[in-house]
Amino acid sequence: MASSSVSSHSSGLWTAKQNKAFEQALATYDQDTPNRWHNVAQVVGGKTTEEVKRHYELLVQDINSIENGLVPFPNYNTNGRLIQEEKRMRNMRLQ
């Protein structure tokens, strides 16, 4: 998804700080909030309304890919714990 490199206005790059602010702003301004994307852009800083909307669209695409099994889970260990966690995660869906 988005990079954590140094960002400038109208750049496709997002800093870790901007990503964290983006996440917090999404939690604050839900889909029913008037001027949601303007508010999110204000919280993030250095991004336009269109840039935060596009960032959100990419996030939704990533989540859908994960939920549809298009992104493989890593195989960190072989003790069966990860297999159980993978099964649990595959059965989860965003509301």
Side-chain angles (χ1 to χ4, degrees), residues 6-88:
V6 176
S7 175
S8 62
H9 188 70
S10 296
S11 170
L13 304 176
W14 286 62
T15 66
K17 184 176 178 180
Q18 286 174 318
N19 273 313
K20 189 64 173 175
F22 176 75
E23 292 170 8
Q24 291 171 337
L26 288 179
T28 302
Y29 303 109
D30 69 10
Q31 62 187 9
D32 297 325
T33 302
N35 300 313
R36 179 187 194 190
W37 301 118
H38 172 78
N39 292 330
V40 172
Q42 291 294 318
V43 171
V44 169
K47 298 293 179 184
T48 66
T49 300
E50 289 303 315
E51 287 172 314
V52 296
K53 283 170 64 174
R54 180 66 182 142
H55 200 60
Y56 179 77
E57 291 165 358
L58 292 171
L59 174 63
V60 170
Q61 287 175 7
D62 286 349
I63 291 168
N64 287 335
S65 293
I66 293 166
E67 287 184 344
N68 290 318
L70 301 175
V71 178
F73 282 90
N75 188 12
Y76 293 122
N77 62 37
T78 58
N79 67 7
R81 184 170 177 227
L82 183 65
I83 293 169
Q84 292 296 335
E85 183 67 10
E86 179 178 347
K87 287 179 183 176
R88 186 182 72 79

Side-chain angles (χ1 to χ4, degrees), residues 67 85-95:
E67 287 184 344
E85 183 67 10
E86 179 178 347
K87 287 179 183 176
R88 186 182 72 79
M89 294 297 290
R90 287 192 187 278
N91 291 324
M92 292 176 62
R93 294 287 182 249
L94 286 179
Q95 299 298 321

